Structure formats: structure tokens, C-alpha cells
Amino acid sequence: MLLENPYVVVISIDFSKAFDTVRHSTLLERLAELDIPDQIYNWLVNFFAGHSHWTEYHGQQSTVQMINASIIQGSAIGPASYVVTAADLNVTTPGKAMCKFAGDTYRYLIVPACNVHSRVSEIEGIEAWEQKNNLALNRKKTRETVFKDGRRKRLVLSPPPMVDIEHVTTLKILGVTITNTLSTSEHVCEVIKSCAQTQCALRNLCIYGLSDSGLHNGFRSVAVAKITYVSSAWSEFVNKREEQ
């Protein structure tokens, strides 16, 4: 259905301090609905219970405050816990889609041209959801991009921009920069620049005695990893000049 539209609007949604504001009681309610063993659920309850915080400055100590929110970003179960919390964040109008990843800025609302009039109501629905779940939509960091197929010959007019949401022509999705004409030229330039910096650093290390095997392993683990990172997803959008 999306391919049948002259353009598709993608809104990257940002929640302020998402990992830090997830309410423990809400998360545990969602976990209780999952088909997981009782001992695993009880372990999770024990993990999130009993956290507190206090500050000491110049020999003076603040009162102890109990922590009843935060899924401890950096912990092993943090991303999975956030996925469970965001499981019921969905679109309200048929024909649209919501892509969600475990990260502060990795939520994307995908709206085809035929449903572009419902963007405001969808954002309002997201704000209602975040109020219920102790999160806060950061409109200043939320971005809107209109993706068009550059191969279409007829002129396509973009929808009017939304209020309080910045309109941009590029979008970084999981570390890959894509333009609104479905080009990855900026991403290729960023990768080349990063690899050149890596090559320069490795060259300097060779001066100080880095072995050939160390040079090879360093280049493979850093530069080659950057070049091949999710390349299967963006390589199809590379033009002839960028391939060279």
C-alpha cells in the first residue's frame, strides 16, 4: 500500500529520557501479562524493587529518595523492558505503521499520502499514551521527513509541515542517513570520512610499532565493520559513482 502513494511521511519520535522515566508499576503490569515463568517474573520484581538515591556534598547528605521509575539504561534487561513497555504504542488509523526499537529516538510513525491528514491525531494519540506511561514526547527533537520517489515524472506536492515539529530532508535510522529522495549519498560520505580517520590512526600506530597482523585486525574490526554495517539495507540505494 505504501508503494502506491506519491509520497510517505516518516516522523521520528523522541521521548525525553525514555529509559529513565519508565514507571516500574506499569512495566511489571505488562510483564505479568506475558507468558513467562513465575520465578522469572518474581526475579524481575526483585530486580526493580528497593532502588534509592541520595547525594553527599561537602559532608552533608540529602534525604534518601526511593526510585520507582527507570529501567536502568545499560543493564542487560533494559532494552527488553523498554520493548515490553512500548508494546501497546500503536497507530490508530488503518494504513499507517509504527516502527519501534529499544532506544530513545528509535520510534518512527510512517504515514502514506492517503492518510497524511491524520498526522495530528496520531501525534495526539502518542501524547495521550506517553502521559499514561510516565513518558514525555519531546517535540523539539521530533522530526518529520517526506520521502518521495525521485523516479516519478509528475510533480508531487508535499503536505504542509506540522506545527512544533521540525521538517528535515534527511533522517538517520539506526545509524544510516537516508535523504528524502531515498539516497544514501550522505551516509556513504560519512562512512568514507570515518574510515579515512581510522586509516590515519592506524598509520600512526604503525610508526610506533603496530604489527602487520595488528594493522589487519584493526582495519577489519573498525573500518570494514563500518562499511558493511547493515549494508544489505542501504546498498541498493547507492548510485554508480558511490559504488566506485
PDB file of all heavy atoms in Angstrom, residues 55-62:
ATOM      1  N   THR A  55      22.395  12.097  47.774  1.00  0.00           N
ATOM      2  CA  THR A  55      23.551  12.883  47.338  1.00  0.00           C
ATOM      3  C   THR A  55      24.307  13.409  48.540  1.00  0.00           C
ATOM      4  O   THR A  55      23.712  13.866  49.526  1.00  0.00           O
ATOM      5  CB  THR A  55      23.092  14.078  46.467  1.00  0.00           C
ATOM      6  OG1 THR A  55      22.385  13.585  45.334  1.00  0.00           O
ATOM      7  CG2 THR A  55      24.296  14.894  45.992  1.00  0.00           C
ATOM      8  N   GLU A  56      25.638  13.323  48.463  1.00  0.00           N
ATOM      9  CA  GLU A  56      26.501  13.846  49.530  1.00  0.00           C
ATOM     10  C   GLU A  56      27.359  14.963  48.958  1.00  0.00           C
ATOM     11  O   GLU A  56      28.005  14.803  47.915  1.00  0.00           O
ATOM     12  CB  GLU A  56      27.380  12.746  50.104  1.00  0.00           C
ATOM     13  CG  GLU A  56      28.255  13.234  51.264  1.00  0.00           C
ATOM     14  CD  GLU A  56      29.041  12.111  51.922  1.00  0.00           C
ATOM     15  OE1 GLU A  56      28.635  10.942  51.749  1.00  0.00           O
ATOM     16  OE2 GLU A  56      30.037  12.395  52.595  1.00  0.00           O
ATOM     17  N   TYR A  57      27.369  16.113  49.620  1.00  0.00           N
ATOM     18  CA  TYR A  57      28.137  17.268  49.140  1.00  0.00           C
ATOM     19  C   TYR A  57      28.677  18.038  50.331  1.00  0.00           C
ATOM     20  O   TYR A  57      27.920  18.436  51.229  1.00  0.00           O
ATOM     21  CB  TYR A  57      27.243  18.173  48.289  1.00  0.00           C
ATOM     22  CG  TYR A  57      27.953  19.378  47.708  1.00  0.00           C
ATOM     23  CD1 TYR A  57      28.865  19.234  46.670  1.00  0.00           C
ATOM     24  CD2 TYR A  57      27.711  20.647  48.216  1.00  0.00           C
ATOM     25  CE1 TYR A  57      29.524  20.332  46.135  1.00  0.00           C
ATOM     26  CE2 TYR A  57      28.367  21.761  47.689  1.00  0.00           C
ATOM     27  CZ  TYR A  57      29.267  21.587  46.650  1.00  0.00           C
ATOM     28  OH  TYR A  57      29.922  22.676  46.116  1.00  0.00           O
ATOM     29  N   HIS A  58      29.995  18.194  50.361  1.00  0.00           N
ATOM     30  CA  HIS A  58      30.661  18.926  51.443  1.00  0.00           C
ATOM     31  C   HIS A  58      30.288  18.362  52.816  1.00  0.00           C
ATOM     32  O   HIS A  58      30.024  19.109  53.774  1.00  0.00           O
ATOM     33  CB  HIS A  58      30.327  20.416  51.383  1.00  0.00           C
ATOM     34  CG  HIS A  58      31.128  21.147  50.347  1.00  0.00           C
ATOM     35  ND1 HIS A  58      31.233  22.524  50.304  1.00  0.00           N
ATOM     36  CD2 HIS A  58      31.860  20.698  49.298  1.00  0.00           C
ATOM     37  CE1 HIS A  58      32.002  22.889  49.281  1.00  0.00           C
ATOM     38  NE2 HIS A  58      32.381  21.789  48.649  1.00  0.00           N
ATOM     39  N   GLY A  59      30.255  17.040  52.867  1.00  0.00           N
ATOM     40  CA  GLY A  59      29.985  16.396  54.136  1.00  0.00           C
ATOM     41  C   GLY A  59      28.527  16.347  54.533  1.00  0.00           C
ATOM     42  O   GLY A  59      28.197  15.795  55.590  1.00  0.00           O
ATOM     43  N   GLN A  60      27.649  16.921  53.747  1.00  0.00           N
ATOM     44  CA  GLN A  60      26.219  16.894  54.047  1.00  0.00           C
ATOM     45  C   GLN A  60      25.517  15.898  53.123  1.00  0.00           C
ATOM     46  O   GLN A  60      25.834  15.817  51.933  1.00  0.00           O
ATOM     47  CB  GLN A  60      25.610  18.286  53.883  1.00  0.00           C
ATOM     48  CG  GLN A  60      26.124  19.305  54.888  1.00  0.00           C
ATOM     49  CD  GLN A  60      25.421  20.636  54.768  1.00  0.00           C
ATOM     50  OE1 GLN A  60      24.810  20.936  53.746  1.00  0.00           O
ATOM     51  NE2 GLN A  60      25.471  21.437  55.829  1.00  0.00           N
ATOM     52  N   GLN A  61      24.593  15.171  53.667  1.00  0.00           N
ATOM     53  CA  GLN A  61      23.898  14.128  52.918  1.00  0.00           C
ATOM     54  C   GLN A  61      22.422  14.481  52.783  1.00  0.00           C
ATOM     55  O   GLN A  61      21.776  14.897  53.739  1.00  0.00           O
ATOM     56  CB  GLN A  61      24.055  12.782  53.620  1.00  0.00           C
ATOM     57  CG  GLN A  61      23.386  11.629  52.919  1.00  0.00           C
ATOM     58  CD  GLN A  61      23.632  10.313  53.622  1.00  0.00           C
ATOM     59  OE1 GLN A  61      24.717  10.055  54.116  1.00  0.00           O
ATOM     60  NE2 GLN A  61      22.587   9.493  53.701  1.00  0.00           N
ATOM     61  N   SER A  62      21.904  14.322  51.574  1.00  0.00           N
ATOM     62  CA  SER A  62      20.481  14.592  51.330  1.00  0.00           C
ATOM     63  C   SER A  62      19.634  13.452  51.874  1.00  0.00           C
ATOM     64  O   SER A  62      20.141  12.403  52.272  1.00  0.00           O
ATOM     65  CB  SER A  62      20.223  14.751  49.835  1.00  0.00           C
ATOM     66  OG  SER A  62      20.407  13.505  49.162  1.00  0.00           O
TER      67      SER A  62
END
